[in-house]
């Protein structure tokens, strides 16, 4: 009898999940973006979800929850009901870096989430105060060595911090780290010459770089970015750099029905396949690369391990 009752309960549970997935979505979806408006994560989210809302025939609202390197937003998403109506735009910071960068986070990047799909990659750039008397990375290194401790780098997320610390170690220079709450604030202070340089994706700075208010000196990627082919790599500038990328993707709380995860993943795939969407993303310096749930889950685990190794090599201690 107990076996029969358990079997019936499991059948009812799966039937309810199937019914929920069949009618999904039947109400507004909230997507938590754990970084500020104007950041790369926020920009990608608004482009993707504007179109996805049309495909799913529902309203999708972006909820910016800023703080603790994305951990505040990720924690809120992890604690949400697993019904597909609260999602998270996560990425390198929330799901790869934070376990290695923060002493205490209130969520598990693997156990607390159901990966849905990757959106793609942000090429990262070394962006400097255009008033600095340098033409390339080699000049910047020479300037920093001639004035130890006087140049600064601002950062607003984990990859920005790691990139700055790796630059210091690999170039053998002394530059001071300046933390910020969000990337647009860093760009503002680059323009105002309150900070010498930063490592970030191009989305918050593309208009300022194109206007000459800030200068993109190099990309940290192994190859030049397709959207900005004239910007050399750090290696071309004489500094062998870390091989870590910034990525963005969609997550649901754990135990979200697999049918809903699959439906969302397919919707994102359709959105990212549209030429107009890919162009809009490319215009803010984002390279669309869709990965489905299973491969995305593996990517997250692999990137967490890579960050654990790289932060140790860079001498970064958990804060």
């Amino acid at each position: 009898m107990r076996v029969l009752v358990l079997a019936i309960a499991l059948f009812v549970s799966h039937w309810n999940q199937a019914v929920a997935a069949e009618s999904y979505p039947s109400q507004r979806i909230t997507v938590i973006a754990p970084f500020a408006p104007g950041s790369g994560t926020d920009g990608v989210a608004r482009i993707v979800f504007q179109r996805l809302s049309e495909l799913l025939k529902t309203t999708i609202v972006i909820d910016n929850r800023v703080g603790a390197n994305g951990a505040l937003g990720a924690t809120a998403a992890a604690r949400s009901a697993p019904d597909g109506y609260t999602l998270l735009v996560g990425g390198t910071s929330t799901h790869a870096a934070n376990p290695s960068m923060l002493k205490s986070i209130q969520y598990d990047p693997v156990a607390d989430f159901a990966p849905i799909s990757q959106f793609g990659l942000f090429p990262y750039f070394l962006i400097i105060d255009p008033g600095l008397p340098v033409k390339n990375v080699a000049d910047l290194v020479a300037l920093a060595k001639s004035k130890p401790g006087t140049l600064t780098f601002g950062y607003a997320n984990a990859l920005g911090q790691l990139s700055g610390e790796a630059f210091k170690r690999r170039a053998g220079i002394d530059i001071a780290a300046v933390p910020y709450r969000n990337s647009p604030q860093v760009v503002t202070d680059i323009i105002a010459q309150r900070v010498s340089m930063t490592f970030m994706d191009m989305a918050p700075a593309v208009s300022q770089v194109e206007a000459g208010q800030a200068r993109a000196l190099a990309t940290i990627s192994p190859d030049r970015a397709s959207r900005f082919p004239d910007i050399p790599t750090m290696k071309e500038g004489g500094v062998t750099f870390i091989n870590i990328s910034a990525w963005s993707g969609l997550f649901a709380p754990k135990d979200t029905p697999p049918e809903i995860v699959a439906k969302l993943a397919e919707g994102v795939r359709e959105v990212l396949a549209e030429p107009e969407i890919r162009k809009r993303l490319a215009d803010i310096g984002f390279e669309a690369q869709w990965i489905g749930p299973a491969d995305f889950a593996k990517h997250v685990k692999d990137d967490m391990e890579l960050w654990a190794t790289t932060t140790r090599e860079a001498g970064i201690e958990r804060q």
Side-chain angles (χ1 to χ4, degrees), residues 8 49 82 130-131 153 270:
I8 293 174
F49 291 114
F153 77 91
E270 290 183 28

Side-chain angles (χ1 to χ4, degrees), residues 5 23 48 72 78 114 117 137 151 154 158 166 220 229 244 250 256 258 262 281 283 289 291 297 309:
V5 170
S23 61
V48 171
L72 293 183
S117 70
V137 173
L151 298 186
I220 73 171
I244 280 186
L250 185 61
T256 297
L281 291 171
D283 285 344
Q289 294 182 14
I291 297 177
T309 300

Side-chain angles (χ1 to χ4, degrees), residues 46-135:
R46 292 183 186 279
I47 292 171
V48 171
F49 291 114
Q50 178 184 31
R51 179 63 181 129
L52 186 61
S53 68
E54 297 170 354
L55 292 181
L56 295 179
K57 296 181 173 57
T58 193
T59 300
I60 299 180
V61 176
I62 306 296
D63 180 7
N64 295 93
R65 304 270 188 105
V66 182
N69 201 36
L72 293 183
T75 300
R79 294 174 177 172
S80 298
D83 55 11
Y85 292 104
T86 301
L87 308 173
L88 173 74
V89 181
T92 306
S93 292
T94 59
H95 280 73
N98 280 351
S100 298
M101 304 285 285
L102 303 179
K103 288 182 179 179
S104 177
I105 56 176
Q106 304 302 312
Y107 66 95
D108 186 311
V110 174
D112 289 343
F113 291 93
I116 295 173
S117 70
Q118 178 182 279
F119 294 152
L121 306 175
F122 291 101
Y124 250 56
F125 298 87
L126 167 57
I127 298 175
I128 67 169
D129 164 10
L132 291 179
V134 301
K135 295 180 180 179

Side-chain angles (χ1 to χ4, degrees), residues 8 10 18 28 126 148 155 253-254 264:
I8 293 174
L10 287 173
R28 185 181 74 177
L126 167 57
Y155 68 89
K254 68 175 181 180
L264 288 166

Side-chain angles (χ1 to χ4, degrees), residues 50 139 164 166 169 192 222 252 306 319:
Q50 178 184 31
D139 286 349
R169 287 192 170 231
L306 179 60
Q319 298 178 354

Side-chain angles (χ1 to χ4, degrees), residues 181-195:
R181 282 183 57 83
N182 60 66
S183 296
Q185 290 178 347
V186 185
V187 176
T188 297
D189 277 6
I190 287 281
I191 295 171
Q193 300 183 318
R194 287 189 284 265
V195 66

